[in-house]
Amino acid sequence: MAKIKTVYICQECGYESPKWMGKCPDCNAWNSFQEEVKDTKETAKSRGIALNPSSIPKNIGEIKSGEKERFNTGIKELNRVLGGGLVKGSLTLISGDPGIGKSTLLLQTAQNIAKNYGKVLYVSGEESEEQIKIRGDRLGVDSQNLYIVSETNLEIIEAHINELSPIFVIIDSIQTMYKQGVTSAPGSVSQVRECSNAIMRIAKGNNIPLFIVAHVTKQGELAGPRVLEHMVDTVLSFEGERTEEFRVLRTMKNRFGTTREIGVFEMMGEGLVEVYDPSKLFLQERDGSQEGSIVIGIMEGSRPILVEIQALVTETKAVMPRRTAVGIDNSRLSLILAVLEKKLRIPFYNCDVYINVVGGLNIDGTTGDLGVALALLSSIKNKDFKLSKMMAVGEVGLTGEIRPISSCERIVNEASKMGFEHVIIPYRNKDKLDAKGVNVIGVSSLREVINKIF
């Protein structure tokens, strides 16, 4: 028999407490507890549940692989990020800032799948059917197999899915959905958790791929309980500035492929357009060599990308100089500054330092260390590089040495294709390199690279 009790639940992390608390002991959020009614039902053991024939353990050799059962989304950049396409029965979560283009991307995907495979259901809890139709007209969405419904009650949505039998479902967004049995408001931790469980059961039970749109917080993190990320198979993050034209789609979690791939899109009047050559996009407004500016190469999954890094070093009278890094890790910038001060005797303690990756791309790893160091030196000395059309890659060690990087050959080939004449790489990478059409310069320390390019 069901019993009803009142609990207080943190709306940031889902921590439950029998009484109200000002500060959550789990995530340290202040004033985040809300009172909710919770049903305590009998356990499965007390009811006595019989075994389901479909859930009997099987030998792994007898289980049919679903690797080949993927839907082609019709968008190559999205296929790349997903690991080759949509896996049947998969649950994918996509998040991003408001207005970044999540709904646009999903509507374009729904159009392609509806044209090539069959019925697609687009469930919107934030827009009416007429609003989606207006966007669809702008994007050229006209498939007869694409069905739109504006609904927030999850029980009604499940009934629509059972009646329509679609092969692909989009829910926009999880924060607007609610279950009638849960007393808390839509978007609360309890509602998001219960709705996610129900949606996962729908996707796995009907063997249909399902996309969920999720909101983000002011800090850009995924809103809702952490359990939401654990439940889904894939977590995608849509990044970019609304004032810029291009967008970057990243994979934060992927059970069916790598998490290192990115997809690059450009926002146009007719919707999101794929960018097949990101290096050309990020370097399109660069005009030759300028002080404090250098091009570096990075690897995003299997794709080499060239981006421009700009540095500005200016003297300050403030007691605490500013250290601002956009696109790279701030602690990495502090490490490189410390190496330059210690090994090259160049003072940065009385200067404000600003580093920016042009285009808004976020760089992970240590491949761009050498480029950051050279941009800082160029800015503080007010000197251009004597080598024109130059690109630099390499990791800077704490002793001032230039350490080798992985996939160097692919980055050098990309630089050659983009018309660069000189490439600065770690000396140990040069031994294994067979590059043509570009002058490869191997360096082993910061002092050596300064003598060669300034």
Side-chain angles (χ1 to χ4, degrees), residues 291-309:
E291 64 180 51
S293 170
I294 193 171
V295 174
I296 67 166
I298 59 173
M299 289 296 296
E300 289 288 354
S302 59
R303 169 189 286 176
I305 298 178
L306 304 186
V307 294
E308 180 185 358
I309 284 186

Side-chain angles (χ1 to χ4, degrees), residues 335-344 396-400 446:
L335 184 149
I336 294 171
L337 288 172
V339 173
L340 293 176
E341 287 190 339
K342 176 73 175 179
K343 299 301 177 183
L344 301 182
V396 175
L398 290 178
T399 59
L446 279 173

